[in-house]
Amino acid sequence: MADAIISMKEVNKWFGKFHVLRNISLDVARGERIVICGPSGSGKSTLIRCINRLEEHQKGQIIVEGTEITNDIRDVEAIRRDVGMVFQHFNLFPHLTVLENLTLGPIWVLKTPKAEAEARAMEYLERVRIAEQAAKFPGQLSGGQQQRVAIARSLCMDPKVMLFDEPTSALDPEMVKEVLDVMVGLAEDTGMTMLVVTHEMGFARKVADRVIFMDQGEIIEQNTPDAFFDNPQNDRTKLFLSQIL
Ligand code: ADP
Ligand code: MG
């Protein structure tokens, strides 16, 4: 793919003897939204964590914005700046206020002046509709609010790609929608490239350009959301969908 922002070629990874990623080849176009689904343990988290080098692959090639991910630490720093990540369990700094969580990276990593970092942070907090919580600590917020803070924190680093690893699966049901709404807004209002591990099919149908199904470390099937959900081809995909729908 000529304009791929992420290009994975025959990527393989092992945890000890366990072959967790098997010949993963995946090109992500700039601005593309991909939803990744599949059974627990199929390698979804490992796959996206390889894209910002939270996990190391042993074979194959991963190129992000023209930079190959290698053991050269300078490359890893460049890639982490380009690739934001939102985790299932928010991973906010508990001892910092919401505002401080958002300004820490810009001030210390991007060397943004404090006043400017704070002004931008407030803009992003407004965008995720939580500006009134800026002075609170994460523990004083609901799970849905914390996850929206985590998304805003990631956006403050001005990433080119956002990775989401089951961002709503640790939330109480009534909070899922407020987080998905923020993610839909991000997709609709910006050209952000997004890779989202989720089983939220409504979100996938609304936002995804492509749905990828993984099982046992392999990409088994991929298609547009409507074709994927309405007319799955592989028996393993059919079984999976019958269990979650
Ligand atoms: P998923 O996100 O699809 O549930 P993961 O990528 O988290 O799957 O894990 C895939 C497999 O790799 C699972 O069997 C898991 O137990 C194993 N695994 C994940 N992380 C590690 C690790 N750090 N060491 C050893 N095995 C791991
Ligand atoms: Mg996972």
Side-chain angles (χ1 to χ4, degrees):
M1 192 187 284
D3 60 341
I5 189 165
I6 298 167
S7 178
M8 306 180 82
K9 287 198 186 76
E10 311 247 316
V11 172
N12 285 269
K13 174 172 179 59
W14 289 261
F15 285 119
K17 286 188 176 161
F18 179 62
H19 197 173
V20 60
L21 295 179
R22 298 164 181 262
N23 289 319
I24 300 286
S25 291
L26 173 65
D27 279 353
V28 182
R30 197 173 296 278
E32 192 175 16
R33 286 74 182 244
I34 295 182
V35 159
I36 302 171
C37 62
S40 177
S42 56
K44 306 177 299 293
S45 296
T46 306
L47 171 65
I48 63 167
R49 290 165 65 87
C50 282
I51 295 172
N52 65 354
R53 197 60 165 190
L54 287 175
E55 298 287 356
E56 199 176 308
H57 61 288
Q58 282 90 36
K59 224 177 111 194
Q61 196 181 39
I62 304 177
I63 299 173
V64 179
E65 268 292 33
T67 304
E68 181 169 0
I69 304 188
T70 66
N71 287 323
D72 185 332
I73 190 66
R74 286 169 302 171
D75 292 352
V76 172
E77 286 174 0
I79 279 151
R80 296 238 172 103
R81 264 200 294 279
D82 284 345
V83 182
M85 180 139 181
V86 173
F87 302 88
Q88 187 177 358
H89 294 287
F90 330 134
N91 296 13
L92 296 171
F93 300 111
H95 59 294
L96 298 180
T97 66
V98 164
L99 186 66
E100 288 164 347
N101 264 277
L102 268 68
T103 57
L104 189 72
I107 290 171
W108 292 99
V109 179
L110 303 180
K111 311 293 180 202
T112 308
K114 189 172 177 216
E116 190 184 325
E118 288 183 345
R120 288 204 71 209
M122 288 310 299
E123 278 172 34
Y124 280 114
L125 287 175
E126 264 159 41
R127 171 170 203 122
V128 303
R129 297 188 291 276
I130 205 166
E132 72 284 357
Q133 311 288 350
K136 290 197 180 158
F137 289 90
Q140 296 174 287
L141 305 185
S142 72
Q145 290 174 321
Q146 289 187 60
Q147 193 60 298
R148 287 186 281 148
V149 170
I151 293 171
R153 179 177 64 174
S154 222
L155 291 173
C156 282
M157 295 298 283
D158 224 359
K160 294 177 179 153
V161 177
M162 287 278 284
L163 309 175
F164 294 85
D165 192 359
E166 305 208 30
T168 60
S169 59
L171 299 176
D172 292 332
E174 71 272 20
M175 292 168 190
V176 170
K177 186 173 178 297
E178 67 191 50
V179 171
L180 291 179
D181 284 348
V182 162
M183 293 169 62
V184 171
L186 180 64
E188 287 176 350
D189 304 344
T190 71
M192 184 65 74
T193 308
M194 296 166 70
L195 273 78
V196 185
V197 177
T198 185
H199 296 159
E200 292 289 342
M201 297 310 155
F203 174 81
R205 281 193 194 260
K206 204 172 198 171
V207 167
D209 299 301
R210 185 157 44 133
V211 179
I212 287 177
F213 174 70
M214 287 186 72
D215 194 17
Q216 297 181 11
E218 287 180 294
I219 294 178
I220 301 290
E221 182 164 351
Q222 47 183 313
N223 217 327
T224 59
D226 288 346
F228 179 84
F229 295 119
D230 298 339
N231 192 17
Q233 298 298 307
N234 189 285
D235 284 343
R236 284 194 257 174
T237 318
K238 289 177 193 169
L239 177 66
F240 173 74
L241 290 175
S242 73
Q243 287 163 343
I244 62 159
L245 291 179

